[in-house]
């Protein structure tokens, strides 16, 4: 009996020591936060309309994009202030800016890349890339492994004639209409007619495509002129894509989530 008791005592002591020295459970890594140079656009100009597409299923992927947790536009402070200047001018003329996308985390870009490599997933082709073979998305420049949006000074946006009508919710599975169809047939998003919808993978999206004429061309040039005057540079391949220069973070690609807590108090 004494032998048994000594053995039990030894085993208990060994277990106690093992428990004391075993490492604590791994803690979840805290999410990165935006550096001080970033702000929520709403804190700089609450009048700019925000329709953050990548928090919804109405994307070329057909689902919410990784890293977009809340529909909040986050930008570097200089870019946000420049949009505020543009918005003040537009309001006097009966227009408002509407942003589709602002800062974009690297994890979202990685999501784009994974989707582009999956050639079997073409659920949204009928709207966003009806004439482009999905295998060409990298070669044609529609998808890349890095995006200027991740540096924080790039924004995708359009113009809305005031008073602004709300955009109806997108219903997953609804009939898709090509992004370059007449405006009356495309998904209604309250913007002025730019000739194509947002994120239209087609050469008609090139800002100065000669096939875009009349009111559509005038609307594009109005948007471009307004933003150029406050320091933005347009990407010629996308009428909606503008980068504020000089960029506050020209060489850094951030990965904090699109969430109000990322810029808490700013």
């Amino acid at each position: 009996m004494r032998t048994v008791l000594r053995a039990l005592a030894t085993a208990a002591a060994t277990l106690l020591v093992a428990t004391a020295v075993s490492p604590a459970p791994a803690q979840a890594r805290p999410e990165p936060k935006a550096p001080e140079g970033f702000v929520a656009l709403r804190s700089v100009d609450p009048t700019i309309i925000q329709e953050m597409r990548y928090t919804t299923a109405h994307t070329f992927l057909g689902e919410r994009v990784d890293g977009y947790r809340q529909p909040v536009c986050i930008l570097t402070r200089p870019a946000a202030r420049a949009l505020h200047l543009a918005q003040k001018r537009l309001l006097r003329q009966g227009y408002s800016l509407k942003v589709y996308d602002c800062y974009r985390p690297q994890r979202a870009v990685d999501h784009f890349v994974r989707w582009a490599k999956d050639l079997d997933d073409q659920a949204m082709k009928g709207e966003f890339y009806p004439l482009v073979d999905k295998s060409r998305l990298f070669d044609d420049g529609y998808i890349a492994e890095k995006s200027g949006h991740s540096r924080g000074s790039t924004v995708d946006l359009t113009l809305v004639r005031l008073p602004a009508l709300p955009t109806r919710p997108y219903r997953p599975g609804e009939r898709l209409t090509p992004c370059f169809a007449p405006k009356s047939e495309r998904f209604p998003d309250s913007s002025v007619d730019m000739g194509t919808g947002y994120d239209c993978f087609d050469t008609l999206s090139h800002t100065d495509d000669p096939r875009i004429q009349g009111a559509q061309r005038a609307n594009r040039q109005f948007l471009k002129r307004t933003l150029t005057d406050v320091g933005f540079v347009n990407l010629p391949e996308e009428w909606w894509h503008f980068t504020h220069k000089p960029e506050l973070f020209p060489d850094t690609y951030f990965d904090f989530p699109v969430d109000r807590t990322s810029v808490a108090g700013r």
Side-chain angles (χ1 to χ4, degrees):
M1 179 62 73
R2 290 177 180 174
T3 301
V4 172
L5 290 175
R6 282 197 299 270
L8 289 173
T10 300
T14 302
L15 179 60
L16 182 61
V17 171
T19 303
V21 301
S22 62
Q27 299 293 317
R29 294 180 61 185
E31 285 283 13
K33 301 291 185 182
E36 286 298 320
F38 282 85
V39 296
L41 176 61
R42 197 170 299 281
S43 70
V44 176
D45 193 317
T47 70
I48 295 175
I49 301 168
Q50 298 189 27
E51 186 179 308
M52 302 296 290
R53 283 286 186 90
Y54 296 152
T55 64
T56 76
H58 191 203
T59 68
F60 55 85
L61 295 82
E63 62 183 355
R64 176 193 287 257
V65 179
D66 288 356
Y68 286 84
R69 298 181 180 171
Q70 294 178 323
V72 53
C73 172
I74 297 173
L75 287 169
T76 57
R77 191 180 299 276
R81 287 175 172 169
L83 287 186
H84 171 61
L85 292 177
Q87 178 75 345
K88 288 201 301 182
R89 299 180 187 180
L90 289 168
L91 290 175
R92 291 194 294 266
Q93 300 175 74
Y95 291 90
S96 172
L97 292 171
K98 179 169 76 171
V99 295
Y100 293 118
D101 190 34
C102 303
Y103 156 76
R104 179 184 303 165
Q106 180 61 43
R107 69 191 75 180
V109 180
D110 296 341
H111 192 179
F112 291 175
V113 170
R114 290 195 307 275
W115 168 83
K117 291 179 178 179
D118 182 2
L119 300 184
D120 291 330
D121 181 358
Q122 304 201 25
M124 301 299 285
K125 179 178 177 63
E127 178 173 354
F128 291 97
Y129 53 107
L131 300 182
V132 179
D133 191 292
K134 193 176 181 183
S135 65
R136 296 284 311 169
L137 292 181
F138 287 103
D139 290 340
D140 291 351
Y142 294 112
I143 300 292
E145 294 186 351
K146 293 290 184 181
S147 169
H149 281 274
S150 301
R151 301 194 295 264
S153 294
T154 295
V155 60
D156 293 341
L157 75 178
T158 189
L159 292 172
V160 174
R161 184 73 180 176
L162 298 174
L165 299 174
T167 298
R168 69 162 175 81
Y170 170 75
R171 298 182 294 272
E174 67 178 78
R175 185 178 67 87
L176 300 178
T177 300
C179 53
F180 46 72
K183 187 173 188 297
S184 60
E185 300 175 18
R186 299 196 303 265
F187 180 82
D189 77 345
S190 77
S191 67
V192 303
D193 189 1
M194 294 291 189
T196 77
Y198 171 55
D199 264 353
C200 185
F201 295 178
D202 194 275
T203 54
L204 283 169
S205 294
H206 293 188
T207 306
D208 294 318
D209 189 287
R211 293 167 293 176
I212 301 297
Q213 294 294 326
Q216 297 171 339
R217 187 174 190 84
N219 288 335
R220 292 186 183 191
Q221 294 305 315
F222 181 30
L223 176 64
K224 181 180 178 180
R225 184 169 61 250
T226 300
L227 293 178
T228 299
D229 286 348
V230 295
F232 283 92
V233 176
N234 174 240
L235 178 69
E237 290 78 19
E238 298 176 352
W239 60 257
W240 56 81
H241 180 119
F242 291 84
T243 299
H244 188 259
K245 300 287 187 174
E247 294 184 67
L248 188 60
F249 300 104
D251 303 308
T252 307
Y253 296 83
F254 295 95
D255 193 40
F256 57 86
V258 177
D259 188 296
R260 293 180 184 87
T261 61
S262 294
V263 287
R266 288 178 269 146

